[in-house]
Amino acid sequence: MSFVPIKGRKARVLVFGSGGVGTMAAYALEKGGMAEVTTVLRSNFKAVTESGFKINSIDHGLDISWSPTHIRNAKDERHCSDNASQPYDFIVVATKNLADITPGVASLIDRDVISDTTAIVLLQNGLNIERPIVDAFPYNPVISGVPYIGAIESPPGTINHVNHDELIISPFRNDNIPCKLSEDAAMNFQEIYGSCPNVTCIYERSVEKARWRKLLYNASYNTIAAILGMDTSRMRASEFIIDDLVRPAMKEIQATARQVSGVHLTDDLIETVIRQDNYKAFFRPSMLQDIDKGKHIEVENIIGEPVREAEKAGVETPTLRVIYSLLKALQFKIKIAEGLVEVPASGEKLKYGISRTRGG
């Protein structure tokens, strides 16, 4: 088995998850001129099929009207390739990664539209997200993508892209296939994505540092913004939110990354990440956007996995643990509202369901 470079034609790319991040990825892939994109849409299907995407981008310009080459409805049972004899070269997954909600990410991918060399690209947040994909598709290259981008879809079909697009691409180690297969696929995807003007796409051999670096932001700003209902500019204006919550959370990620993976995240990097958002944008991170819409949040991969890894390594994470508990509570409320959790009328079988009489 070997990776065959794509020559003489555009790469066939299927994109799941066309919110802010997924749409800007699809746009970059097609505007670079080396890919033909099929996007799978859900809530925005009607708006986009009728009028296309409306994009206001810090990288690409304002008032852009654009549609991908092909559009599919997520409600369809299959997302078949336009030429059944030629499966997709890349499956890009840019959906939320909701490890505590079934079905999981792997269930999105129809086995009829991939070959052994189809690479699965995860443009998602969090830690250890690649493992379920390798389990489900043991002989396909898996590319781990860490996007640094601020992009919001509101209303459906309208994308406001406010922070510059930088994508870190790494091959994920899969012992079932040769390392070179994954490496070549990742480098090919980096070339295709990076051919778009005004975006930055960087290849790195190891995904660990990139994921831990992203967690500096996501396990602090992203999570705390969701709990407080505040954008990052107002959090910075408060000062005490940064000093008492954001920086301590980042320091715990720093300590966990060093102990678990040997990844060194410097104090200077922490200070850079604290100020990385464009202050004038009053940016609302993705988890807060989900809370605003009553959607499920990425609790487990963004905060649960780092906490569990810290516990196994003996690293104290008091700030992260409180954040994790509060986010699980918010997720529980959303599950109740959507009927995924039923609170019984009687508490007889619950740990805390029976009232205790006052004792001495």
Side-chain angles (χ1 to χ4, degrees):
M1 183 189 302
S2 62
F3 179 78
V4 179
I6 299 167
K7 294 182 179 180
R9 64 173 176 83
K10 293 182 178 181
R12 288 179 287 273
V13 183
L14 178 67
V15 177
F16 286 102
S18 287
V21 173
T23 298
M24 294 314 301
Y27 182 84
L29 286 164
E30 287 215 332
K31 286 302 176 180
M34 297 179 65
E36 178 180 295
V37 175
T38 299
T39 58
V40 181
L41 309 182
R42 190 178 298 276
S43 60
N44 54 2
F45 178 78
K46 184 175 185 294
V48 175
T49 52
E50 290 179 353
S51 304
F53 283 105
K54 307 300 180 184
I55 298 173
N56 295 299
S57 169
I58 191 173
D59 289 335
H60 307 292
L62 305 178
D63 298 321
I64 299 170
S65 295
W66 173 77
S67 293
T69 301
H70 307 287
I71 296 173
R72 298 286 180 266
N73 192 334
K75 294 181 180 178
D76 294 342
E77 291 186 4
R78 293 177 181 268
H79 312 295
C80 294
S81 174
D82 297 290
N83 185 337
S85 66
Q86 297 177 325
Y88 292 103
D89 301 298
F90 298 96
I91 307 290
V92 176
V93 182
T95 61
K96 298 295 179 185
N97 198 321
L98 304 170
D100 56 333
I101 307 293
T102 55
V105 170
S107 67
L108 293 174
I109 303 171
D110 186 345
R111 295 177 186 274
D112 290 342
V113 301
I114 66 174
S115 67
D116 285 346
T117 56
T118 299
I120 301 170
V121 187
L122 301 180
L123 303 187
Q124 296 178 302
N125 292 321
L127 195 65
N128 300 331
I129 66 170
E130 303 89 355
R131 294 173 183 175
I133 302 300
V134 171
D135 289 343
F137 300 93
Y139 302 108
N140 288 93
V142 174
I143 300 171
S144 191
V146 182
Y148 293 91
I149 184 173
I152 302 170
E153 183 184 27
S154 181
T158 297
I159 308 297
N160 294 301
H161 171 208
V162 298
N163 285 334
H164 295 291
D165 184 357
E166 179 178 315
L167 178 62
I168 310 296
I169 289 294
S170 299
F172 187 74
R173 182 177 177 83
N174 179 356
D175 292 334
N176 301 301
I177 60 178
C179 290
K180 192 175 188 307
L181 181 65
S182 298
E183 291 169 355
D184 287 351
M187 286 189 283
N188 187 235
F189 187 82
Q190 184 271 334
E191 180 186 8
I192 293 168
Y193 197 100
S195 65
C196 179
N198 303 321
V199 306
T200 301
C201 189
I202 301 169
Y203 174 88
E204 290 188 2
R205 288 182 61 87
S206 174
V207 71
E208 288 186 317
K209 183 174 182 179
R211 290 221 166 269
W212 282 112
R213 186 196 184 285
K214 185 70 180 287
L215 280 171
L216 280 179
Y217 183 96
N218 274 332
S220 59
Y221 266 128
N222 201 358
T223 57
I224 294 167
I227 293 166
L228 298 179
M230 293 178 70
D231 60 70
T232 58
S233 299
R234 289 182 172 86
M235 291 166 67
R236 286 160 66 179
S238 76
E239 296 186 10
F240 71 87
I241 295 175
I242 304 302
D243 294 337
D244 297 346
L245 291 172
V246 172
R247 188 179 288 104
M250 289 185 180
K251 294 291 288 183
E252 291 171 16
I253 289 293
Q254 179 190 48
T256 304
R258 182 171 57 249
Q259 186 67 25
V260 171
S261 301
V263 171
H264 293 273
L265 305 172
T266 67
D267 290 342
D268 284 346
L269 176 59
I270 287 176
E271 298 308 313
T272 297
V273 173
I274 285 173
R275 296 166 176 81
Q276 77 176 33
D277 282 341
N278 179 356
Y279 186 89
K280 294 180 181 179
F282 287 83
F283 182 63
R284 300 175 75 82
S286 60
M287 197 175 287
L288 175 55
Q289 294 176 44
D290 291 334
I291 291 291
D292 289 341
K293 299 173 184 177
K295 292 184 176 180
H296 299 291
I297 52 179
E298 296 176 292
V299 178
E300 296 303 330
N301 290 319
I302 285 180
I303 192 79
E305 282 297 298
V307 166
R308 286 185 283 271
E309 292 290 340
E311 182 177 6
K312 288 187 291 186
V315 179
E316 295 293 327
T317 55
T319 308
L320 294 177
R321 282 188 170 277
V322 171
I323 292 170
Y324 181 37
S325 295
L326 290 171
L327 288 176
K328 284 199 298 183
L330 290 174
Q331 186 87 310
F332 190 71
K333 286 175 61 179
I334 296 167
K335 289 179 180 180
I336 291 173
E338 293 199 345
L340 298 180
V341 173
E342 182 178 350
V343 178
S346 170
E348 293 179 359
K349 296 183 179 179
L350 300 178
K351 180 178 180 180
Y352 301 111
I354 302 298
S355 299
R356 294 182 61 178
T357 57
R358 292 182 180 178

